[in-house]
Amino acid sequence: MTGTFNIQIDKIKKSRVSEYDINNVPFGKCFSDHMFVAEYADGKWQKAYIKPYGDEPLSYAMSALHYGQAIFEGMKAYKNEQGEVSLFRPLENFKRMNKSAIRMAMPEVPEEIFMGGLMELMKLDAAWVPTSDTGSLYIRPFLISTDEAIGVKISDSYKFIIICCPAGKYYGEPIKVLVETNYFRAVHGGVGFVKAAGNYGRSLYPTKLAQQKGYQQVIWTDSETHQYFEESGTMNVMFVIGDTLLTPALSDTILDGVTRKSVLELARSWNMKVEERKVSIKEVFEAIENNTLKEIFGCGTAATIAHIVGIGHNGKDYALTPVEQRAFSPKVDETLRQIRKGKLKDSFGWMMKVA
Ligand code: COI
């Protein structure tokens, strides 16, 4: 970081943190005291500031609302027993944000703005980081196009904003998913590999249909053949078949998840067999039939690990191994939790302390 960006700070008069039980709030509905904003116009980043969390005046004609030039990240901060706050692999999110920005024809966010703003915000809102075992502060950096113009074109102005909310478990219970073979999440040459807002909007209708049938989420399959698994809801998806951990290889239809990467690194460090490749519906259902399918789970920032205990396909429901009998995903979940909470040595160098 070069430190040329001066962040103006307008501190809240009185913190709102005591109004909430931050160890016990629903995901994404209660926001911390401050927000970070950086403004882009005339071909450069103009100014950066922190102000009390609240609404911003934005035009209803702004292009993000109409044409979806909008991207985001999801990341988390954790508090250890000494009350110190650390971020989990924040540079991975910084890098991915800019990958998304390039694909969506948006300006890249300089590291000094992304990381500088994040660190200042964490220092101001440290009291909002939950102390509970499974709690964290969910951080939502996002970049939106703000031109007041209805013509379809690359916007000239943008806002990069960071807001935060205390979070507990994303899914209260293990989930049941439906293999989606009609709608798809991503297509080759599209934007599935980046965190574009529209990827999430387009998923809601198929998810609603699955929920009406009693599933919590869908498992996406490839758009061309619907024979290969891609992702699970808003998460990457993994399978344990026999003694091998399998996950779809990264491509332009798969998000390069930070949790995905971390789970794979842990598995490899435990000398588990790991395969990143195409995973077919056929092989997974054959493994269910011959009892070699041990686990299916989703992994993402919000949920960390979402155990999948039921899967529906072609009008048939299959019950999977109960979580208590799973060897890998509960262990990986607990290991990540302990590293993040400072209870286990951070031998991968994943945590970045907020100082
Ligand atoms: C994540 O888990 O990383 C997500 O992106 C989920 C979020 C959309 C709530």
Side-chain angles (χ1 to χ4, degrees):
M1 279 180 256
T2 57
T4 49
F5 247 93
N6 181 27
I7 301 173
Q8 297 288 329
I9 297 179
D10 173 15
K11 265 176 86 166
I12 201 161
K13 303 258 178 320
K14 187 179 174 301
S15 173
R16 291 179 286 104
V17 70
S18 60
E19 293 171 22
Y20 300 93
D21 174 5
I22 59 163
N23 288 308
N24 230 332
V25 283
F27 181 86
K29 290 195 174 166
C30 134
F31 296 93
S32 68
D33 284 330
H34 298 93
M35 60 195 276
F36 171 78
V37 184
E39 295 180 6
Y40 181 95
D42 298 329
K44 61 180 199 303
W45 290 94
Q46 301 284 346
K47 58 176 177 175
Y49 50 94
I50 287 178
K51 59 178 229 169
Y53 172 82
D55 297 346
E56 289 254 288
L58 290 165
S59 165
Y60 286 128
M62 81 172 193
S63 49
L65 292 179
H66 298 267
Y67 307 123
Q69 224 193 343
I71 57 173
F72 72 93
E73 273 303 317
M75 54 203 296
K76 282 180 171 172
Y78 297 84
K79 199 173 261 182
N80 67 16
E81 275 169 358
Q82 292 70 48
E84 295 163 330
V85 175
S86 297
L87 293 153
F88 183 71
R89 311 190 78 173
L91 292 171
E92 297 293 335
N93 297 92
F94 161 69
K95 285 186 251 168
R96 192 173 60 188
M97 179 109 210
N98 283 335
K99 224 171 155 182
S100 302
I102 291 168
R103 177 60 182 84
M104 296 301 289
M106 301 169 93
E108 289 177 63
V109 181
E111 185 173 344
E112 63 174 313
I113 291 185
F114 188 101
M115 291 304 297
L118 183 60
M119 284 297 176
E120 285 304 323
L121 195 57
M122 287 305 102
K123 281 190 244 172
L124 283 171
D125 284 355
W128 288 83
V129 185
T131 48
S132 63
D133 269 0
T134 51
S136 60
L137 188 69
Y138 185 81
I139 303 161
R140 170 53 57 88
F142 60 105
L143 178 63
I144 48 173
S145 56
T146 53
D147 272 11
E148 190 175 12
I150 293 293
V152 182
K153 70 172 211 22
I154 294 173
S155 181
D156 292 321
S157 62
Y158 297 86
K159 275 191 176 177
F160 171 63
I161 301 175
I162 310 178
I163 55 175
C164 310
C165 44
K169 283 185 172 230
Y170 192 75
Y171 290 109
E173 298 292 331
I175 58 175
K176 205 175 135 188
V177 296
L178 177 68
V179 180
E180 177 58 68
T181 51
N182 184 25
Y183 301 97
F184 53 84
R185 173 189 169 274
V187 59
H188 287 305
V191 296
F193 68 109
V194 298
K195 270 185 110 66
N199 285 346
Y200 297 78
R202 68 180 290 160
S203 74
L204 298 175
Y205 181 66
T207 307
K208 177 178 108 169
L209 297 181
Q211 287 172 349
Q212 284 168 348
K213 293 182 190 146
Y215 303 92
Q216 279 81 41
Q217 274 296 350
V218 297
I219 294 210
W220 301 107
T221 54
D222 71 288
S223 66
E224 283 161 4
T225 67
H226 287 300
Q227 285 177 26
Y228 296 93
F229 289 108
E230 296 244 296
E231 295 196 8
S232 170
T234 60
M235 298 171 287
N236 292 110
V237 65
M238 297 203 178
F239 306 83
V240 180
I241 298 183
D243 57 1
T244 305
L245 178 65
L246 288 168
T247 194
L250 294 180
S251 75
D252 61 357
T253 62
I254 308 277
L255 188 82
D256 186 2
V258 181
T259 311
R260 175 189 183 279
K261 190 176 294 192
S262 309
V263 170
L264 295 179
E265 283 175 50
L266 277 174
R268 288 188 170 112
S269 77
W270 296 335
N271 293 321
M272 187 164 181
K273 251 202 280 172
V274 175
E275 291 180 16
E276 294 177 71
R277 60 165 172 82
K278 282 180 149 198
V279 181
S280 71
I281 298 183
K282 187 167 171 278
E283 72 181 299
V284 168
F285 281 91
E286 274 172 10
I288 293 177
E289 298 292 349
N290 65 29
N291 280 325
T292 53
L293 188 281
K294 305 269 171 58
E295 307 183 15
I296 307 182
F297 60 93
C299 51
T301 298
T304 304
I305 301 293
H307 302 288
I308 295 172
V309 290
I311 186 165
H313 181 46
N314 280 345
K316 224 174 133 190
D317 275 339
Y318 301 79
L320 306 176
T321 318
V323 178
E324 316 74 68
Q325 290 168 29
R326 297 183 176 199
F328 178 70
S329 50
K331 180 178 163 191
V332 94
D333 199 15
E334 181 59 14
T335 305
L336 281 170
R337 194 186 66 75
Q338 292 202 13
I339 293 173
R340 289 160 163 172
K341 287 283 183 181
K343 293 186 173 166
L344 204 63
K345 191 167 173 264
D346 174 23
S347 36
F348 295 89
W350 285 339
M351 305 308 291
M352 185 183 285
K353 211 165 134 186
V354 175

